[in-house]
């Protein structure tokens, strides 16, 4: 009988120890990630090597256009207009631009890469025949509104 009580006591102590050590062990939870989203709506039109951007909301500009090719460096775009080529985009601008992304022509169409202010990291649009029209916002591609 004394042996049974001793074993039961040791088992109880062991279970409590496992419970306490198990709950206090260093578990790594996923950190909360906060992304400051900018509010914007831009229509991207590609026709051959010509790229035309029309801002419907959230920009200081109304229309931008430039030419690009597959060999060209990515072109930066923010709420104030065209930015320096991709090499200069890594430096933080003292003026908060809200959003910043780059556009680069690809074999299939056009690729966009977000630098800040969006939920998306990259978007790729296939342009059959070298022509396409897409509308983007801070969440990604949105429905094209006919005006």
């Amino acid at each position: 009988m004394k042996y049974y009580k001793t074993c039961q006591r040791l088992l109880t102590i062991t279970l409590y120890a496992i419970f306490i050590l198990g709950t206090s062990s260093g578990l790594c939870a996923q950190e909360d990630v906060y992304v400051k989203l900018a509010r914007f709506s831009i229509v991207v039109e590609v026709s051959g090597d010509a790229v035309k951007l029309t801002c419907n909301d959230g920009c200081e500009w109304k229309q931008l256009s430039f030419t690009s090719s597959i060999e060209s460096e990515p072109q930066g775009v923010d709420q104030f207009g065209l930015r320096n080529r991709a090499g200069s985009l890594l430096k933080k601008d003292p003026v908060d631009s809200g959003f910043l992304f780059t556009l680069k022509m690809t074999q299939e169409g056009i690729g966009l890469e977000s630098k800040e202010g969006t939920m998306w990291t990259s978007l790729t649009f296939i342009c059959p025949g070298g022509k396409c029209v897409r509308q983007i916002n801070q969440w990604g591609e949105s429905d094209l509104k006919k005006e």
Side-chain angles (χ1 to χ4, degrees):
M1 194 68 151
K2 188 176 183 182
Y3 177 74
Y4 178 73
K5 286 184 179 182
T6 305
C7 284
Q8 187 178 8
R9 193 175 298 150
L10 286 174
L11 182 62
T12 304
I13 291 171
T14 304
L15 289 175
Y16 280 128
I18 291 172
F19 176 72
I20 290 171
L21 290 175
T23 58
S24 65
S25 65
L27 295 176
C28 295
Q30 184 177 3
E31 293 182 26
D32 289 337
V33 177
Y34 176 74
V35 177
K36 183 180 176 188
L37 293 180
R39 183 178 166 183
F40 66 92
S41 175
I42 298 173
V43 176
V44 179
E45 296 179 56
V46 177
S47 181
D49 287 346
V51 179
K52 180 181 169 187
L53 306 173
T54 305
C55 184
N56 297 324
D57 185 30
C59 307
E60 298 292 323
W61 49 271
K62 192 66 179 161
Q63 286 190 338
L64 299 173
S65 60
F66 58 95
T67 58
S68 182
S69 67
I70 296 171
E71 295 83 25
S72 299
E73 291 291 318
Q75 175 62 57
V77 177
D78 67 7
Q79 79 181 50
F80 300 113
L82 296 178
R83 292 280 302 261
N84 294 336
R85 298 289 180 174
S88 303
L89 293 174
L90 299 177
K91 299 176 185 172
K92 182 68 177 165
D93 194 343
V95 177
D96 183 21
S97 64
F99 67 88
L100 174 60
F101 60 87
T102 60
L103 292 103
K104 172 126 177 81
M105 299 299 284
T106 64
Q107 292 286 353
E108 299 83 25
I110 191 164
L112 287 78
E113 184 178 331
S114 174
K115 301 296 184 185
E116 65 183 58
T118 68
M119 281 300 290
W120 48 273
T121 55
S122 65
L123 298 172
T124 304
F125 300 125
I126 297 173
C127 300
K131 294 185 179 194
C132 64
V133 179
R134 301 286 193 277
Q135 183 165 332
I136 62 168
N137 61 21
Q138 65 273 19
W139 300 104
E141 184 177 9
S142 61
D143 292 332
L144 190 62
K145 296 176 183 171
K146 303 282 184 186
E147 294 183 8

